[in-house]
Amino acid sequence: MDTGMIDWSLRPGWWVGSWGLALFAAYVALDLSRGVLSAHRPTAMRALAGAALALSTGMCAAHFVAMSGSDLPMALNYDAWQVFGTLVLAYLGAAASIAMAVDRTRRPVRGLAGTVVLGATLCAAPVLALVSLELYPSLNWQVNAWLAGAGGVVGGVGLAWYCFSRCRRAASGRTLAWQAAAAVPMGTAMWAANGLVIRWVGVPWEAMSPPSAGSVNGETLFALASLAVPSLLALLLLSSVLESRFKAALRRAREELQVAAQTDPLTSLPNRTMFETWLLRATMRADRQGQRVALLFINLDGLKTVNESLGQAAGDAVLCEMGKRLRSMAGSRDIVARAGGDEFLMLLEGNPSPDDSAHLANRLLKALNDVCVVDEREVTMSCSVGIASYPEHGAQTKLIPHAAAAMHAAKRNGGATYCVFEPRMVAGVHDQVELLRDLRRAIQHRELELYYQPKIHAASGQITGAEALMRWHHPKRGMVGPHIFIPLAEKFGLIQALGNWLIEDVCRQIRDWGDSGLRMRVALNLSVHQLRQEDLVDRIAEALARHEIDPHLLTCEITESAAMEDTRTTLRVIERLSAAGVHLSIDDFGTGYSSLSYLRQLAAEELKIDRSFVLDLETSADARAIVSAVVKLAQALGLKVVAEGVETEAQQKILCTLGCDELQGFLFAKPMSAKALTLWAMKDEGPRSLDFRPSLFDESLSVAPR
Ligand code: C2E
Ligand code: MG
Ligand code: MG
């Protein structure tokens, strides 16, 4: 039997077609492989399945196209199950290789394993495909030549995975170029593996066998390989392109959102959140390099005035202009941000010396001070700057508060200047935090006490009543005055608790005095925050009723500035207090800006002239003129006038001459405990010159009997 071999005569056009198909399959597989790195597991698995499908179908299709291009003197029939098995093996090999080579860890050993697995799959697939040819006698393998070629195939795959790894690291514009570069060696290796096998296998002359029941002929496979597989690949590519476009649009939208969340919409400068991120990075860099970072806290002086006089839009325009100026002053590495309101931040990197920061602060002061035109009007702004340096002025988290403290110091110095941070600038803040903590405890532990300062009838010198003034017996600091803790309580929401305690304690004291036969009229001070308290009047009325006190014995003092702050609310509260029978006094009169028409509407009984006018009475004609005018005004409005802070007999004389009704001050008595005042009233243990008005002891008129 002649066992000579058939000489494969290859038609070049078909071979080029096979190569093109292999290149296309490799490109599609690599495109899908990019999705394998997705953190979303189902997406990654989908991408892996798609990439393996593209590679395996491409591998087999390239083989069948090449086979059809070989001029053989017989019809080719394949065993359908074996062809399917080849496809499955190609799929598994491709999937394993991609899973190994396309990996986040980028370990070379995985890349190598992926290369070997895919190289072996590429070489094995055409062998299996040929084995599934129904031939008798079987093929004549030229193993040595095949093995030599396999080395080249593995090399090509290795080069492909290398190029693909570059594609993952490349800038976005170069990704596709690297992907195409990877597709060339991979597609070529796929095609060459087929060529090798087909070229070096010997087909015997008489190799023929009739088609079996489960066979599929070469033409059908060629049709599938040249039409169905390219269509499938095109579909896979389309889905991959659409998915990556969708992902890119999503990423862009997310980035835009992120930028918007970190940008100040008015000035388009970074906001405080973004600035803090930069600050953290800058301080970490500074730590590594042993360098300094400086932070400038810039506050515009008088933006409130611009807002009030020219309107909010003008204020916004000023802020935008100032933001632009600051940005233009900043160096290329410096960061400018808007911290909120009228505050800006500037971060200086590159080891700025204290002189550099001071020099820049001076330039900022000048630049921001330049005239700025808003709505054709010239506005001149100034700013106060605080400077804090890292690491000298504290930890990274303290840098912004410390620069802010320095800015406040600059403001206290009159503004339009800069200050460098010093530890003493925050000493008060720590103190405040401690004091606030103690105050909360003091309210619970009853460390507060009311002192009473008598009010004197000017003409007779007799005591007519007393003003309740709060005192705090601090366990360590001793006696703390209300000018320290009342503003703190107002700022940190403790004033209501304090005010409620005050109302209760004053009423209890009036009742105690009443029970011992003293009809004392008491004034209590109301804070502006208490005036906004919805249930203030009800609380006072309840306390009066609970202690069975005549409401006329209680006076509420409201400072003139508090009465002016929210006139509608104050009017309503005062009307309700008046309706409840409680008296009203306007405290510190002359320091606020009452309008006469408003004053007329207030149902007040008393005006208390501020101590500052009394203080200057002896020396200043102006002060005398003011007091005289206030007395006349009060008389015209039918109000009683009380002068507070009387310290000398000369002041007393002038005030009496000017027509004041009552006087209050250290000249007569300092604020004292309720016990001291009781002893004085009962046993006459007070200044000899002072008497209590007889009416104060008129029990029948005083407190309602229990
Ligand atoms: P005020 O209501 O105008 O009280 C008068 C202040 O002047 C009191 O200071 C009193 O001790 C002081 N004083 C009275 N006569 C003289 C004097 O002849 N010479 C000098 N140098 N001072 C005199 P105090 O007790 O430190 O209270 C300061 C302010 O704190 C009060 O001013 C009042 O506005 C506020 N305050 C005091 N107690 C309370 C309170 O219970 N509630 C509220 N909301 N504020 C209170
Ligand atoms: Mg008062
Ligand atoms: Mg006062």
Side-chain angles (χ1 to χ4, degrees):
M1 191 166 58
D2 185 359
T3 53
M5 295 294 149
I6 294 175
D7 184 21
W8 296 77
S9 63
L10 306 171
R11 278 177 273 172
W14 296 70
W15 280 89
V16 172
S18 163
W19 188 43
L21 193 59
L23 287 178
F24 185 36
Y27 183 84
V28 174
L30 290 172
D31 198 67
L32 286 158
S33 293
R34 295 219 310 257
V36 173
L37 293 172
S38 167
H40 184 237
R41 205 172 156 70
T43 307
M45 294 308 288
R46 224 176 28 241
L48 179 65
L53 186 65
L55 213 52
S56 53
T57 51
M59 216 181 288
C60 296
H63 173 80
F64 292 122
V65 170
M67 280 298 284
S68 307
S70 312
D71 241 350
L72 291 175
M74 58 206 176
L76 296 177
N77 287 309
Y78 293 87
D79 180 288
W81 280 110
Q82 284 187 30
V83 170
F84 180 69
T86 307
L87 193 65
V88 170
L89 181 110
Y91 181 86
L92 294 177
S97 167
I98 296 167
M100 284 185 242
V102 184
D103 172 56
R104 275 174 192 285
T105 59
R106 292 194 183 157
R107 273 183 295 165
V109 62
R110 290 187 66 112
L112 204 66
T115 301
V116 171
V117 169
L118 186 58
T121 309
L122 289 184
C123 293
V127 171
L128 287 175
L130 281 180
V131 167
S132 58
L133 262 177
E134 293 174 338
L135 291 178
Y136 180 82
S138 72
L139 298 163
N140 222 336
W141 300 103
Q142 306 202 10
V143 177
N144 287 346
W146 179 77
L147 277 179
V153 170
V154 173
V157 172
L159 180 63
W161 282 137
Y162 168 75
C163 292
F164 188 67
S165 72
R166 293 295 300 265
C167 141
R168 280 156 57 192
R169 270 174 279 165
S172 60
R174 297 237 171 136
T175 318
L176 286 186
W178 278 109
Q179 190 175 308
V184 174
M186 186 175 281
T188 307
M190 201 187 288
W191 171 76
N194 278 309
L196 273 175
V197 175
I198 295 171
R199 191 70 195 84
W200 296 108
V201 76
V203 183
W205 274 116
E206 75 286 17
M208 283 287 212
S209 62
S212 66
S215 73
V216 50
N217 67 40
E219 277 146 30
T220 311
L221 284 177
F222 169 71
L224 281 173
S226 56
L227 293 173
V229 172
S231 309
L232 174 73
L233 290 176
L235 269 177
L236 286 172
L237 184 63
L238 187 71
S239 77
S240 171
V241 168
L242 286 179
E243 187 164 336
S244 53
R245 287 216 177 146
F246 175 67
K247 269 194 206 151
L250 214 66
R251 195 168 40 243
R252 264 198 309 279
R254 208 181 302 132
E255 280 165 7
E256 275 166 20
L257 260 176
Q258 209 168 5
V259 169
Q262 298 191 329
T263 308
D264 169 50
L266 182 66
T267 58
S268 304
L269 288 172
N271 63 15
R272 193 183 176 118
T273 317
M274 188 159 180
F275 185 86
E276 280 172 358
T277 313
W278 279 99
L279 177 64
L280 179 67
R281 286 190 201 149
T283 48
M284 278 160 63
R285 260 195 303 275
D287 284 342
R288 275 199 305 273
Q289 296 163 1
Q291 293 196 339
R292 180 187 287 120
V293 169
L295 195 149
L296 272 61
F297 197 108
I298 303 138
N299 182 283
L300 300 183
D301 302 326
L303 185 73
K304 194 165 171 248
T305 320
V306 176
N307 277 336
E308 280 168 6
S309 55
L310 302 179
Q312 192 80 27
D316 287 354
V318 168
L319 276 169
C320 288
E321 174 61 25
M322 295 301 147
K324 268 190 215 148
R325 288 186 195 178
L326 283 172
R327 200 163 23 195
S328 69
M329 305 282 303
S332 57
R333 288 186 63 192
D334 305 338
I335 311 247
V336 179
R338 181 171 171 221
D342 51 2
E343 292 167 347
F344 292 90
L345 294 161
M346 194 184 267
L347 181 68
L348 312 184
E349 277 196 76
N351 207 20
S353 68
D355 281 351
D356 294 338
S357 311
H359 180 64
L360 179 67
N362 264 325
R363 284 177 46 224
L364 289 184
L365 291 173
K366 279 205 195 92
L368 299 197
N369 203 17
D370 254 8
V371 172
C372 150
V373 180
V374 177
D375 285 345
E376 295 171 1
R377 282 194 234 201
E378 290 193 347
V379 179
T380 311
M381 297 297 295
S382 66
C383 66
S384 304
V385 181
I387 304 174
S389 295
Y390 177 84
E392 297 97 303
H393 294 151
Q396 173 259 324
T397 49
K398 291 276 178 234
L399 214 53
I400 297 181
H402 285 179
M407 182 278 291
H408 285 299
K411 272 228 180 301
R412 280 196 296 277
N413 291 349
T417 185
Y418 75 87
C419 271
V420 179
F421 173 76
E422 288 171 36
R424 66 173 171 80
M425 291 171 180
V426 285
V429 177
H430 298 317
D431 199 44
Q432 236 189 25
V433 173
E434 242 174 54
L435 208 60
L436 184 67
R437 186 200 55 209
D438 292 353
L439 184 59
R440 283 184 208 280
R441 202 203 48 219
I443 296 173
Q444 285 168 3
H445 292 83
R446 309 212 157 252
E447 285 169 16
L448 296 158
E449 187 187 356
L450 286 179
Y451 269 36
Y452 294 87
Q453 186 179 32
K455 285 183 180 174
I456 314 296
H457 185 243
S460 65
Q462 289 173 328
I463 294 172
T464 57
E467 176 178 4
L469 295 161
M470 230 182 257
R471 297 290 179 264
W472 177 11
H473 299 284
H474 192 283
K476 287 194 194 128
R477 296 171 196 248
M479 184 82 90
V480 181
H483 59 284
I484 292 180
F485 67 86
I486 296 267
L488 200 67
E490 285 176 342
K491 199 164 155 192
F492 295 100
L494 293 177
I495 194 68
Q496 292 202 359
L498 219 54
N500 294 343
W501 170 80
L502 166 78
I503 293 166
E504 182 58 30
D505 212 55
V506 162
C507 290
R508 186 196 48 75
Q509 188 57 56
I510 297 177
R511 181 74 244 177
D512 278 1
W513 277 326
D515 288 346
S516 28
L518 180 62
R519 184 182 180 266
M520 186 66 92
R521 192 179 251 255
V522 178
L524 58 80
N525 292 282
L526 286 184
S527 142
V528 65
H529 295 264
Q530 282 174 278
L531 289 180
R532 296 197 200 112
Q533 200 180 327
E534 283 291 318
D535 61 347
L536 172 74
V537 182
D538 296 335
R539 266 185 185 275
I540 292 178
E542 267 170 33
L544 288 170
R546 198 168 44 254
H547 293 285
E548 297 168 353
I549 297 168
D550 177 357
H552 284 98
L553 286 181
L554 188 70
T555 301
C556 290
E557 293 192 7
I558 301 169
T559 60
E560 186 189 12
S561 49
M564 291 304 121
E565 202 166 301
D566 180 357
T567 48
R568 283 225 329 256
T569 310
T570 316
L571 269 179
R572 209 177 51 236
V573 172
I574 289 173
E575 267 163 24
R576 289 187 59 205
L577 279 174
S578 178
V582 174
H583 282 207
L584 188 91
S585 168
I586 312 287
D587 204 353
D588 302 345
F589 191 78
T591 52
Y593 302 93
S594 306
S595 81
L596 280 181
S597 65
Y598 176 59
L599 210 56
R600 277 182 57 198
Q601 291 176 55
L602 286 179
E605 268 85 23
E606 182 180 285
L607 282 190
K608 286 184 84 174
I609 301 177
D610 190 63
R611 196 164 72 81
S612 56
F613 300 107
V614 176
L615 198 69
D616 292 344
L617 270 184
E618 294 163 67
T619 51
S620 156
D622 282 354
R624 281 196 296 276
I626 291 171
V627 173
S628 165
V630 171
V631 171
K632 286 193 184 109
L633 173 74
Q635 283 167 351
L637 293 172
L639 304 175
K640 191 167 73 180
V641 185
V642 181
E644 57 183 359
V646 185
E647 289 185 353
T648 66
E649 282 176 4
Q651 288 168 349
Q652 178 190 16
K653 223 163 132 192
I654 299 170
L655 289 164
C656 284
T657 318
L658 291 175
C660 280
D661 300 292
E662 289 186 6
L663 307 175
Q664 197 182 356
F666 292 173
L667 175 66
F668 312 105
K670 287 195 170 177
M672 63 189 84
S673 66
K675 202 169 154 198
L677 192 63
T678 314
L679 282 174
W680 182 8
M682 301 304 163
K683 296 187 187 150
D684 201 16
E685 282 183 4
R688 294 246 154 248
S689 56
L690 289 180
D691 266 343
F692 288 81
R693 296 213 104 184
S695 63
L696 296 186
F697 295 99
D698 187 349
E699 179 73 28
S700 62
L701 289 173
S702 61
V703 200
R706 283 179 191 256

